[in-house]
Amino acid sequence: MDNFDMDDEDKGSKKGKGGGKAIKEFDCPGCEANNPTDDPIVDGSEVRCNYCGNEYQVKVNENGRLKFKEV
Ligand SMILES: [Zn+2]
């Protein structure tokens, strides 16, 4: 009984692509500085620019784009 068992499933090569990507930086709308954040930015987050000190409330739209509102 010749049994060729060629079984190469490539498991473990899942490339984590697709939704739910955490946003952990933002560009300040005031001074355009790029600020990394400790916590992922979600809709309603408040962020503070390390450069100019302005604070913004963030809205994330359905495209994953950030909108800033000064607070
Ligand atoms: Zn700024």
Side-chain angles (χ1 to χ4, degrees):
M1 226 198 262
D2 283 334
N3 215 344
F4 288 86
D5 206 3
M6 303 281 276
D7 211 359
D8 36 307
E9 306 167 58
D10 47 350
K11 14 181 129 151
S13 65
K14 259 194 222 162
K15 288 227 170 111
K17 222 185 166 189
K21 198 172 125 203
I23 304 164
K24 294 189 81 179
E25 58 170 14
F26 69 98
D27 290 320
C28 175
C31 70
E32 291 176 18
N34 183 260
N35 289 273
T37 59
D38 291 331
D39 298 317
I41 298 172
V42 295
D43 196 54
S45 289
E46 288 191 9
V47 296
R48 185 167 184 274
C49 176
N50 294 318
Y51 295 86
C52 66
N54 283 342
E55 289 185 55
Y56 299 93
Q57 188 174 55
V58 184
K59 277 207 137 278
V60 183
N61 73 15
E62 61 269 29
N63 300 321
R65 293 283 220 114
L66 303 181
K67 288 197 123 199
F68 298 90
K69 196 179 128 197
E70 232 170 311
V71 288

PDB file of all heavy atoms in Angstrom, residues 31-70:
ATOM      1  N   CYS A  31      -0.412  71.422  15.141  1.00  0.00           N
ATOM      2  CA  CYS A  31       0.978  71.669  14.768  1.00  0.00           C
ATOM      3  C   CYS A  31       1.540  70.580  13.866  1.00  0.00           C
ATOM      4  O   CYS A  31       2.688  70.633  13.466  1.00  0.00           O
ATOM      5  CB  CYS A  31       1.837  71.798  16.031  1.00  0.00           C
ATOM      6  SG  CYS A  31       2.041  70.241  16.924  1.00  0.00           S
ATOM      7  N   GLU A  32       0.712  69.607  13.556  1.00  0.00           N
ATOM      8  CA  GLU A  32       1.086  68.529  12.657  1.00  0.00           C
ATOM      9  C   GLU A  32       2.175  67.605  13.172  1.00  0.00           C
ATOM     10  O   GLU A  32       2.770  66.845  12.418  1.00  0.00           O
ATOM     11  CB  GLU A  32       1.461  69.079  11.272  1.00  0.00           C
ATOM     12  CG  GLU A  32       0.235  69.617  10.574  1.00  0.00           C
ATOM     13  CD  GLU A  32       0.559  70.270   9.236  1.00  0.00           C
ATOM     14  OE1 GLU A  32       1.635  70.008   8.702  1.00  0.00           O
ATOM     15  OE2 GLU A  32      -0.284  71.024   8.754  1.00  0.00           O
ATOM     16  N   ALA A  33       2.435  67.676  14.454  1.00  0.00           N
ATOM     17  CA  ALA A  33       3.394  66.752  15.031  1.00  0.00           C
ATOM     18  C   ALA A  33       2.778  65.367  15.116  1.00  0.00           C
ATOM     19  O   ALA A  33       1.574  65.223  15.346  1.00  0.00           O
ATOM     20  CB  ALA A  33       3.793  67.216  16.429  1.00  0.00           C
ATOM     21  N   ASN A  34       3.613  64.373  14.938  1.00  0.00           N
ATOM     22  CA  ASN A  34       3.134  63.007  15.074  1.00  0.00           C
ATOM     23  C   ASN A  34       3.342  62.553  16.500  1.00  0.00           C
ATOM     24  O   ASN A  34       4.444  62.591  17.019  1.00  0.00           O
ATOM     25  CB  ASN A  34       3.880  62.097  14.095  1.00  0.00           C
ATOM     26  CG  ASN A  34       3.358  60.669  14.158  1.00  0.00           C
ATOM     27  OD1 ASN A  34       3.973  59.823  14.792  1.00  0.00           O
ATOM     28  ND2 ASN A  34       2.251  60.417  13.528  1.00  0.00           N
ATOM     29  N   ASN A  35       2.263  62.150  17.125  1.00  0.00           N
ATOM     30  CA  ASN A  35       2.311  61.736  18.521  1.00  0.00           C
ATOM     31  C   ASN A  35       1.964  60.267  18.674  1.00  0.00           C
ATOM     32  O   ASN A  35       0.881  59.848  18.290  1.00  0.00           O
ATOM     33  CB  ASN A  35       1.283  62.532  19.329  1.00  0.00           C
ATOM     34  CG  ASN A  35       1.669  63.974  19.495  1.00  0.00           C
ATOM     35  OD1 ASN A  35       2.380  64.347  20.414  1.00  0.00           O
ATOM     36  ND2 ASN A  35       1.190  64.816  18.584  1.00  0.00           N
ATOM     37  N   PRO A  36       2.856  59.495  19.243  1.00  0.00           N
ATOM     38  CA  PRO A  36       2.504  58.125  19.593  1.00  0.00           C
ATOM     39  C   PRO A  36       1.665  58.130  20.872  1.00  0.00           C
ATOM     40  O   PRO A  36       1.813  59.022  21.704  1.00  0.00           O
ATOM     41  CB  PRO A  36       3.848  57.452  19.834  1.00  0.00           C
ATOM     42  CG  PRO A  36       4.789  58.555  20.186  1.00  0.00           C
ATOM     43  CD  PRO A  36       4.244  59.821  19.579  1.00  0.00           C
ATOM     44  N   THR A  37       0.772  57.179  20.999  1.00  0.00           N
ATOM     45  CA  THR A  37      -0.027  57.100  22.217  1.00  0.00           C
ATOM     46  C   THR A  37       0.184  55.750  22.895  1.00  0.00           C
ATOM     47  O   THR A  37       0.513  54.766  22.247  1.00  0.00           O
ATOM     48  CB  THR A  37      -1.526  57.262  21.903  1.00  0.00           C
ATOM     49  OG1 THR A  37      -1.925  56.244  21.000  1.00  0.00           O
ATOM     50  CG2 THR A  37      -1.814  58.613  21.276  1.00  0.00           C
ATOM     51  N   ASP A  38       0.008  55.748  24.199  1.00  0.00           N
ATOM     52  CA  ASP A  38       0.135  54.489  24.941  1.00  0.00           C
ATOM     53  C   ASP A  38      -1.071  53.598  24.702  1.00  0.00           C
ATOM     54  O   ASP A  38      -0.956  52.401  24.521  1.00  0.00           O
ATOM     55  CB  ASP A  38       0.256  54.768  26.443  1.00  0.00           C
ATOM     56  CG  ASP A  38       1.584  55.425  26.776  1.00  0.00           C
ATOM     57  OD1 ASP A  38       2.566  55.159  26.039  1.00  0.00           O
ATOM     58  OD2 ASP A  38       1.648  56.199  27.734  1.00  0.00           O
ATOM     59  N   ASP A  39      -2.234  54.229  24.736  1.00  0.00           N
ATOM     60  CA  ASP A  39      -3.463  53.467  24.562  1.00  0.00           C
ATOM     61  C   ASP A  39      -3.962  53.635  23.138  1.00  0.00           C
ATOM     62  O   ASP A  39      -3.815  54.695  22.547  1.00  0.00           O
ATOM     63  CB  ASP A  39      -4.537  53.975  25.529  1.00  0.00           C
ATOM     64  CG  ASP A  39      -4.100  53.777  26.972  1.00  0.00           C
ATOM     65  OD1 ASP A  39      -3.561  52.706  27.283  1.00  0.00           O
ATOM     66  OD2 ASP A  39      -4.279  54.712  27.770  1.00  0.00           O
ATOM     67  N   PRO A  40      -4.546  52.597  22.596  1.00  0.00           N
ATOM     68  CA  PRO A  40      -5.119  52.708  21.256  1.00  0.00           C
ATOM     69  C   PRO A  40      -6.177  53.802  21.209  1.00  0.00           C
ATOM     70  O   PRO A  40      -6.942  53.979  22.154  1.00  0.00           O
ATOM     71  CB  PRO A  40      -5.753  51.343  21.024  1.00  0.00           C
ATOM     72  CG  PRO A  40      -5.154  50.433  22.035  1.00  0.00           C
ATOM     73  CD  PRO A  40      -4.729  51.265  23.185  1.00  0.00           C
ATOM     74  N   ILE A  41      -6.190  54.529  20.126  1.00  0.00           N
ATOM     75  CA  ILE A  41      -7.174  55.586  19.967  1.00  0.00           C
ATOM     76  C   ILE A  41      -8.468  54.985  19.445  1.00  0.00           C
ATOM     77  O   ILE A  41      -8.470  54.276  18.447  1.00  0.00           O
ATOM     78  CB  ILE A  41      -6.656  56.650  18.981  1.00  0.00           C
ATOM     79  CG1 ILE A  41      -5.389  57.299  19.542  1.00  0.00           C
ATOM     80  CG2 ILE A  41      -7.724  57.694  18.709  1.00  0.00           C
ATOM     81  CD1 ILE A  41      -4.696  58.219  18.558  1.00  0.00           C
ATOM     82  N   VAL A  42      -9.524  55.258  20.163  1.00  0.00           N
ATOM     83  CA  VAL A  42     -10.838  54.793  19.724  1.00  0.00           C
ATOM     84  C   VAL A  42     -11.762  55.989  19.639  1.00  0.00           C
ATOM     85  O   VAL A  42     -11.403  57.094  20.047  1.00  0.00           O
ATOM     86  CB  VAL A  42     -11.424  53.754  20.711  1.00  0.00           C
ATOM     87  CG1 VAL A  42     -10.575  52.492  20.712  1.00  0.00           C
ATOM     88  CG2 VAL A  42     -11.562  54.329  22.107  1.00  0.00           C
ATOM     89  N   ASP A  43     -12.942  55.761  19.107  1.00  0.00           N
ATOM     90  CA  ASP A  43     -13.914  56.829  19.005  1.00  0.00           C
ATOM     91  C   ASP A  43     -14.185  57.410  20.384  1.00  0.00           C
ATOM     92  O   ASP A  43     -14.504  56.691  21.324  1.00  0.00           O
ATOM     93  CB  ASP A  43     -15.193  56.257  18.390  1.00  0.00           C
ATOM     94  CG  ASP A  43     -16.108  57.344  17.881  1.00  0.00           C
ATOM     95  OD1 ASP A  43     -15.646  58.177  17.088  1.00  0.00           O
ATOM     96  OD2 ASP A  43     -17.268  57.363  18.293  1.00  0.00           O
ATOM     97  N   GLY A  44     -14.020  58.698  20.499  1.00  0.00           N
ATOM     98  CA  GLY A  44     -14.279  59.344  21.773  1.00  0.00           C
ATOM     99  C   GLY A  44     -13.050  59.527  22.657  1.00  0.00           C
ATOM    100  O   GLY A  44     -13.136  60.133  23.717  1.00  0.00           O
ATOM    101  N   SER A  45     -11.919  59.008  22.233  1.00  0.00           N
ATOM    102  CA  SER A  45     -10.694  59.185  23.006  1.00  0.00           C
ATOM    103  C   SER A  45     -10.319  60.655  23.094  1.00  0.00           C
ATOM    104  O   SER A  45     -10.605  61.438  22.196  1.00  0.00           O
ATOM    105  CB  SER A  45      -9.515  58.466  22.335  1.00  0.00           C
ATOM    106  OG  SER A  45      -9.625  57.087  22.433  1.00  0.00           O
ATOM    107  N   GLU A  46      -9.667  60.996  24.191  1.00  0.00           N
ATOM    108  CA  GLU A  46      -9.101  62.332  24.266  1.00  0.00           C
ATOM    109  C   GLU A  46      -7.599  62.206  24.217  1.00  0.00           C
ATOM    110  O   GLU A  46      -7.004  61.392  24.908  1.00  0.00           O
ATOM    111  CB  GLU A  46      -9.559  63.029  25.550  1.00  0.00           C
ATOM    112  CG  GLU A  46     -11.013  63.408  25.438  1.00  0.00           C
ATOM    113  CD  GLU A  46     -11.451  64.333  26.580  1.00  0.00           C
ATOM    114  OE1 GLU A  46     -10.607  64.803  27.354  1.00  0.00           O
ATOM    115  OE2 GLU A  46     -12.661  64.569  26.671  1.00  0.00           O
ATOM    116  N   VAL A  47      -7.013  62.991  23.360  1.00  0.00           N
ATOM    117  CA  VAL A  47      -5.571  62.927  23.194  1.00  0.00           C
ATOM    118  C   VAL A  47      -4.980  64.310  23.415  1.00  0.00           C
ATOM    119  O   VAL A  47      -5.657  65.322  23.303  1.00  0.00           O
ATOM    120  CB  VAL A  47      -5.183  62.431  21.786  1.00  0.00           C
ATOM    121  CG1 VAL A  47      -5.655  61.002  21.567  1.00  0.00           C
ATOM    122  CG2 VAL A  47      -5.716  63.346  20.700  1.00  0.00           C
ATOM    123  N   ARG A  48      -3.723  64.301  23.740  1.00  0.00           N
ATOM    124  CA  ARG A  48      -3.053  65.564  23.990  1.00  0.00           C
ATOM    125  C   ARG A  48      -1.755  65.565  23.208  1.00  0.00           C
ATOM    126  O   ARG A  48      -0.997  64.601  23.242  1.00  0.00           O
ATOM    127  CB  ARG A  48      -2.765  65.688  25.489  1.00  0.00           C
ATOM    128  CG  ARG A  48      -2.173  66.995  25.879  1.00  0.00           C
ATOM    129  CD  ARG A  48      -2.241  67.109  27.398  1.00  0.00           C
ATOM    130  NE  ARG A  48      -1.756  68.401  27.833  1.00  0.00           N
ATOM    131  CZ  ARG A  48      -0.476  68.650  28.061  1.00  0.00           C
ATOM    132  NH1 ARG A  48       0.426  67.711  27.910  1.00  0.00           N
ATOM    133  NH2 ARG A  48      -0.097  69.847  28.442  1.00  0.00           N
ATOM    134  N   CYS A  49      -1.540  66.640  22.505  1.00  0.00           N
ATOM    135  CA  CYS A  49      -0.318  66.746  21.717  1.00  0.00           C
ATOM    136  C   CYS A  49       0.858  67.048  22.631  1.00  0.00           C
ATOM    137  O   CYS A  49       0.804  67.954  23.453  1.00  0.00           O
ATOM    138  CB  CYS A  49      -0.476  67.854  20.676  1.00  0.00           C
ATOM    139  SG  CYS A  49       1.028  68.131  19.732  1.00  0.00           S
ATOM    140  N   ASN A  50       1.900  66.260  22.477  1.00  0.00           N
ATOM    141  CA  ASN A  50       3.085  66.455  23.304  1.00  0.00           C
ATOM    142  C   ASN A  50       3.880  67.692  22.916  1.00  0.00           C
ATOM    143  O   ASN A  50       4.741  68.128  23.652  1.00  0.00           O
ATOM    144  CB  ASN A  50       4.010  65.246  23.188  1.00  0.00           C
ATOM    145  CG  ASN A  50       3.384  64.008  23.783  1.00  0.00           C
ATOM    146  OD1 ASN A  50       2.761  64.059  24.841  1.00  0.00           O
ATOM    147  ND2 ASN A  50       3.551  62.891  23.109  1.00  0.00           N
ATOM    148  N   TYR A  51       3.582  68.218  21.771  1.00  0.00           N
ATOM    149  CA  TYR A  51       4.378  69.330  21.271  1.00  0.00           C
ATOM    150  C   TYR A  51       3.747  70.662  21.592  1.00  0.00           C
ATOM    151  O   TYR A  51       4.364  71.537  22.176  1.00  0.00           O
ATOM    152  CB  TYR A  51       4.611  69.181  19.768  1.00  0.00           C
ATOM    153  CG  TYR A  51       5.457  67.965  19.465  1.00  0.00           C
ATOM    154  CD1 TYR A  51       4.872  66.714  19.328  1.00  0.00           C
ATOM    155  CD2 TYR A  51       6.842  68.072  19.361  1.00  0.00           C
ATOM    156  CE1 TYR A  51       5.635  65.590  19.086  1.00  0.00           C
ATOM    157  CE2 TYR A  51       7.616  66.952  19.124  1.00  0.00           C
ATOM    158  CZ  TYR A  51       7.005  65.721  18.985  1.00  0.00           C
ATOM    159  OH  TYR A  51       7.769  64.601  18.756  1.00  0.00           O
ATOM    160  N   CYS A  52       2.490  70.818  21.219  1.00  0.00           N
ATOM    161  CA  CYS A  52       1.863  72.117  21.444  1.00  0.00           C
ATOM    162  C   CYS A  52       0.941  72.098  22.657  1.00  0.00           C
ATOM    163  O   CYS A  52       0.493  73.134  23.116  1.00  0.00           O
ATOM    164  CB  CYS A  52       1.109  72.578  20.200  1.00  0.00           C
ATOM    165  SG  CYS A  52      -0.311  71.555  19.787  1.00  0.00           S
ATOM    166  N   GLY A  53       0.653  70.908  23.186  1.00  0.00           N
ATOM    167  CA  GLY A  53      -0.135  70.819  24.403  1.00  0.00           C
ATOM    168  C   GLY A  53      -1.633  70.900  24.204  1.00  0.00           C
ATOM    169  O   GLY A  53      -2.387  70.849  25.164  1.00  0.00           O
ATOM    170  N   ASN A  54      -2.069  71.031  22.973  1.00  0.00           N
ATOM    171  CA  ASN A  54      -3.509  71.074  22.728  1.00  0.00           C
ATOM    172  C   ASN A  54      -4.143  69.714  22.992  1.00  0.00           C
ATOM    173  O   ASN A  54      -3.542  68.677  22.751  1.00  0.00           O
ATOM    174  CB  ASN A  54      -3.801  71.471  21.281  1.00  0.00           C
ATOM    175  CG  ASN A  54      -3.626  72.964  21.057  1.00  0.00           C
ATOM    176  OD1 ASN A  54      -3.605  73.746  21.997  1.00  0.00           O
ATOM    177  ND2 ASN A  54      -3.486  73.342  19.803  1.00  0.00           N
ATOM    178  N   GLU A  55      -5.374  69.771  23.466  1.00  0.00           N
ATOM    179  CA  GLU A  55      -6.108  68.530  23.684  1.00  0.00           C
ATOM    180  C   GLU A  55      -7.244  68.420  22.690  1.00  0.00           C
ATOM    181  O   GLU A  55      -7.905  69.401  22.364  1.00  0.00           O
ATOM    182  CB  GLU A  55      -6.662  68.488  25.105  1.00  0.00           C
ATOM    183  CG  GLU A  55      -5.567  68.294  26.126  1.00  0.00           C
ATOM    184  CD  GLU A  55      -6.145  68.122  27.523  1.00  0.00           C
ATOM    185  OE1 GLU A  55      -6.981  67.227  27.698  1.00  0.00           O
ATOM    186  OE2 GLU A  55      -5.766  68.897  28.407  1.00  0.00           O
ATOM    187  N   TYR A  56      -7.457  67.219  22.252  1.00  0.00           N
ATOM    188  CA  TYR A  56      -8.491  66.988  21.252  1.00  0.00           C
ATOM    189  C   TYR A  56      -9.310  65.775  21.626  1.00  0.00           C
ATOM    190  O   TYR A  56      -8.799  64.810  22.195  1.00  0.00           O
ATOM    191  CB  TYR A  56      -7.873  66.742  19.875  1.00  0.00           C
ATOM    192  CG  TYR A  56      -7.066  67.903  19.380  1.00  0.00           C
ATOM    193  CD1 TYR A  56      -5.702  67.957  19.611  1.00  0.00           C
ATOM    194  CD2 TYR A  56      -7.680  68.956  18.703  1.00  0.00           C
ATOM    195  CE1 TYR A  56      -4.953  69.040  19.175  1.00  0.00           C
ATOM    196  CE2 TYR A  56      -6.937  70.033  18.258  1.00  0.00           C
ATOM    197  CZ  TYR A  56      -5.576  70.071  18.498  1.00  0.00           C
ATOM    198  OH  TYR A  56      -4.838  71.131  18.072  1.00  0.00           O
ATOM    199  N   GLN A  57     -10.567  65.846  21.260  1.00  0.00           N
ATOM    200  CA  GLN A  57     -11.391  64.655  21.338  1.00  0.00           C
ATOM    201  C   GLN A  57     -11.436  64.049  19.943  1.00  0.00           C
ATOM    202  O   GLN A  57     -11.622  64.753  18.954  1.00  0.00           O
ATOM    203  CB  GLN A  57     -12.800  64.992  21.808  1.00  0.00           C
ATOM    204  CG  GLN A  57     -13.585  63.711  22.082  1.00  0.00           C
ATOM    205  CD  GLN A  57     -14.925  64.008  22.695  1.00  0.00           C
ATOM    206  OE1 GLN A  57     -15.708  64.760  22.144  1.00  0.00           O
ATOM    207  NE2 GLN A  57     -15.189  63.399  23.831  1.00  0.00           N
ATOM    208  N   VAL A  58     -11.237  62.755  19.914  1.00  0.00           N
ATOM    209  CA  VAL A  58     -11.085  62.076  18.634  1.00  0.00           C
ATOM    210  C   VAL A  58     -12.370  61.375  18.238  1.00  0.00           C
ATOM    211  O   VAL A  58     -13.021  60.734  19.058  1.00  0.00           O
ATOM    212  CB  VAL A  58      -9.960  61.025  18.711  1.00  0.00           C
ATOM    213  CG1 VAL A  58      -9.733  60.395  17.337  1.00  0.00           C
ATOM    214  CG2 VAL A  58      -8.682  61.642  19.224  1.00  0.00           C
ATOM    215  N   LYS A  59     -12.687  61.531  16.991  1.00  0.00           N
ATOM    216  CA  LYS A  59     -13.760  60.721  16.413  1.00  0.00           C
ATOM    217  C   LYS A  59     -13.138  59.853  15.338  1.00  0.00           C
ATOM    218  O   LYS A  59     -12.322  60.294  14.557  1.00  0.00           O
ATOM    219  CB  LYS A  59     -14.830  61.622  15.786  1.00  0.00           C
ATOM    220  CG  LYS A  59     -15.810  62.145  16.779  1.00  0.00           C
ATOM    221  CD  LYS A  59     -17.141  62.429  16.084  1.00  0.00           C
ATOM    222  CE  LYS A  59     -18.329  61.984  16.863  1.00  0.00           C
ATOM    223  NZ  LYS A  59     -18.792  60.684  16.872  1.00  0.00           N
ATOM    224  N   VAL A  60     -13.517  58.600  15.356  1.00  0.00           N
ATOM    225  CA  VAL A  60     -13.029  57.691  14.324  1.00  0.00           C
ATOM    226  C   VAL A  60     -14.190  57.376  13.404  1.00  0.00           C
ATOM    227  O   VAL A  60     -15.218  56.885  13.852  1.00  0.00           O
ATOM    228  CB  VAL A  60     -12.489  56.388  14.952  1.00  0.00           C
ATOM    229  CG1 VAL A  60     -11.928  55.483  13.860  1.00  0.00           C
ATOM    230  CG2 VAL A  60     -11.413  56.689  15.997  1.00  0.00           C
ATOM    231  N   ASN A  61     -14.034  57.695  12.151  1.00  0.00           N
ATOM    232  CA  ASN A  61     -15.141  57.391  11.238  1.00  0.00           C
ATOM    233  C   ASN A  61     -15.024  55.977  10.686  1.00  0.00           C
ATOM    234  O   ASN A  61     -14.103  55.243  11.012  1.00  0.00           O
ATOM    235  CB  ASN A  61     -15.256  58.457  10.145  1.00  0.00           C
ATOM    236  CG  ASN A  61     -14.144  58.355   9.117  1.00  0.00           C
ATOM    237  OD1 ASN A  61     -13.446  57.355   9.026  1.00  0.00           O
ATOM    238  ND2 ASN A  61     -13.970  59.403   8.344  1.00  0.00           N
ATOM    239  N   GLU A  62     -15.974  55.623   9.842  1.00  0.00           N
ATOM    240  CA  GLU A  62     -16.036  54.226   9.415  1.00  0.00           C
ATOM    241  C   GLU A  62     -14.861  53.802   8.545  1.00  0.00           C
ATOM    242  O   GLU A  62     -14.609  52.628   8.357  1.00  0.00           O
ATOM    243  CB  GLU A  62     -17.374  53.926   8.709  1.00  0.00           C
ATOM    244  CG  GLU A  62     -17.618  54.734   7.454  1.00  0.00           C
ATOM    245  CD  GLU A  62     -18.365  56.036   7.767  1.00  0.00           C
ATOM    246  OE1 GLU A  62     -18.225  56.589   8.870  1.00  0.00           O
ATOM    247  OE2 GLU A  62     -19.084  56.510   6.888  1.00  0.00           O
ATOM    248  N   ASN A  63     -14.131  54.760   8.034  1.00  0.00           N
ATOM    249  CA  ASN A  63     -12.935  54.407   7.263  1.00  0.00           C
ATOM    250  C   ASN A  63     -11.693  54.299   8.133  1.00  0.00           C
ATOM    251  O   ASN A  63     -10.592  54.106   7.633  1.00  0.00           O
ATOM    252  CB  ASN A  63     -12.674  55.463   6.185  1.00  0.00           C
ATOM    253  CG  ASN A  63     -13.820  55.577   5.214  1.00  0.00           C
ATOM    254  OD1 ASN A  63     -14.411  54.578   4.845  1.00  0.00           O
ATOM    255  ND2 ASN A  63     -14.158  56.777   4.811  1.00  0.00           N
ATOM    256  N   GLY A  64     -11.881  54.463   9.423  1.00  0.00           N
ATOM    257  CA  GLY A  64     -10.731  54.416  10.307  1.00  0.00           C
ATOM    258  C   GLY A  64      -9.938  55.711  10.316  1.00  0.00           C
ATOM    259  O   GLY A  64      -8.816  55.767  10.805  1.00  0.00           O
ATOM    260  N   ARG A  65     -10.553  56.772   9.780  1.00  0.00           N
ATOM    261  CA  ARG A  65      -9.900  58.072   9.785  1.00  0.00           C
ATOM    262  C   ARG A  65     -10.204  58.793  11.088  1.00  0.00           C
ATOM    263  O   ARG A  65     -11.294  58.693  11.616  1.00  0.00           O
ATOM    264  CB  ARG A  65     -10.421  58.927   8.616  1.00  0.00           C
ATOM    265  CG  ARG A  65     -10.050  58.409   7.269  1.00  0.00           C
ATOM    266  CD  ARG A  65      -8.618  58.710   6.950  1.00  0.00           C
ATOM    267  NE  ARG A  65      -8.434  59.100   5.557  1.00  0.00           N
ATOM    268  CZ  ARG A  65      -8.042  60.313   5.188  1.00  0.00           C
ATOM    269  NH1 ARG A  65      -7.880  61.269   6.060  1.00  0.00           N
ATOM    270  NH2 ARG A  65      -7.822  60.565   3.927  1.00  0.00           N
ATOM    271  N   LEU A  66      -9.241  59.553  11.535  1.00  0.00           N
ATOM    272  CA  LEU A  66      -9.432  60.288  12.774  1.00  0.00           C
ATOM    273  C   LEU A  66      -9.898  61.712  12.494  1.00  0.00           C
ATOM    274  O   LEU A  66      -9.426  62.358  11.566  1.00  0.00           O
ATOM    275  CB  LEU A  66      -8.116  60.341  13.557  1.00  0.00           C
ATOM    276  CG  LEU A  66      -7.486  59.002  13.886  1.00  0.00           C
ATOM    277  CD1 LEU A  66      -6.206  59.218  14.684  1.00  0.00           C
ATOM    278  CD2 LEU A  66      -8.424  58.120  14.669  1.00  0.00           C
ATOM    279  N   LYS A  67     -10.833  62.149  13.326  1.00  0.00           N
ATOM    280  CA  LYS A  67     -11.248  63.546  13.268  1.00  0.00           C
ATOM    281  C   LYS A  67     -11.041  64.136  14.646  1.00  0.00           C
ATOM    282  O   LYS A  67     -11.323  63.509  15.659  1.00  0.00           O
ATOM    283  CB  LYS A  67     -12.732  63.656  12.900  1.00  0.00           C
ATOM    284  CG  LYS A  67     -13.012  63.319  11.467  1.00  0.00           C
ATOM    285  CD  LYS A  67     -14.374  63.846  11.074  1.00  0.00           C
ATOM    286  CE  LYS A  67     -14.277  64.776   9.870  1.00  0.00           C
ATOM    287  NZ  LYS A  67     -15.430  65.641   9.714  1.00  0.00           N
ATOM    288  N   PHE A  68     -10.565  65.350  14.674  1.00  0.00           N
ATOM    289  CA  PHE A  68     -10.218  65.954  15.958  1.00  0.00           C
ATOM    290  C   PHE A  68     -11.097  67.157  16.250  1.00  0.00           C
ATOM    291  O   PHE A  68     -11.383  67.967  15.385  1.00  0.00           O
ATOM    292  CB  PHE A  68      -8.759  66.405  15.931  1.00  0.00           C
ATOM    293  CG  PHE A  68      -7.808  65.271  15.736  1.00  0.00           C
ATOM    294  CD1 PHE A  68      -7.415  64.887  14.473  1.00  0.00           C
ATOM    295  CD2 PHE A  68      -7.312  64.574  16.830  1.00  0.00           C
ATOM    296  CE1 PHE A  68      -6.543  63.826  14.282  1.00  0.00           C
ATOM    297  CE2 PHE A  68      -6.440  63.521  16.649  1.00  0.00           C
ATOM    298  CZ  PHE A  68      -6.056  63.140  15.378  1.00  0.00           C
ATOM    299  N   LYS A  69     -11.479  67.223  17.516  1.00  0.00           N
ATOM    300  CA  LYS A  69     -12.246  68.370  17.950  1.00  0.00           C
ATOM    301  C   LYS A  69     -11.530  68.947  19.165  1.00  0.00           C
ATOM    302  O   LYS A  69     -11.249  68.216  20.132  1.00  0.00           O
ATOM    303  CB  LYS A  69     -13.651  67.906  18.335  1.00  0.00           C
ATOM    304  CG  LYS A  69     -14.657  69.010  18.428  1.00  0.00           C
ATOM    305  CD  LYS A  69     -16.017  68.438  18.801  1.00  0.00           C
ATOM    306  CE  LYS A  69     -16.562  69.204  19.990  1.00  0.00           C
ATOM    307  NZ  LYS A  69     -17.656  68.527  20.676  1.00  0.00           N
ATOM    308  N   GLU A  70     -11.226  70.200  19.100  1.00  0.00           N
ATOM    309  CA  GLU A  70     -10.499  70.804  20.208  1.00  0.00           C
ATOM    310  C   GLU A  70     -11.344  70.800  21.474  1.00  0.00           C
ATOM    311  O   GLU A  70     -12.538  71.054  21.422  1.00  0.00           O
ATOM    312  CB  GLU A  70     -10.116  72.240  19.855  1.00  0.00           C
ATOM    313  CG  GLU A  70      -8.643  72.494  20.067  1.00  0.00           C
ATOM    314  CD  GLU A  70      -8.210  73.829  19.488  1.00  0.00           C
ATOM    315  OE1 GLU A  70      -8.553  74.098  18.326  1.00  0.00           O
ATOM    316  OE2 GLU A  70      -7.541  74.567  20.224  1.00  0.00           O
TER     317      GLU A  70
END
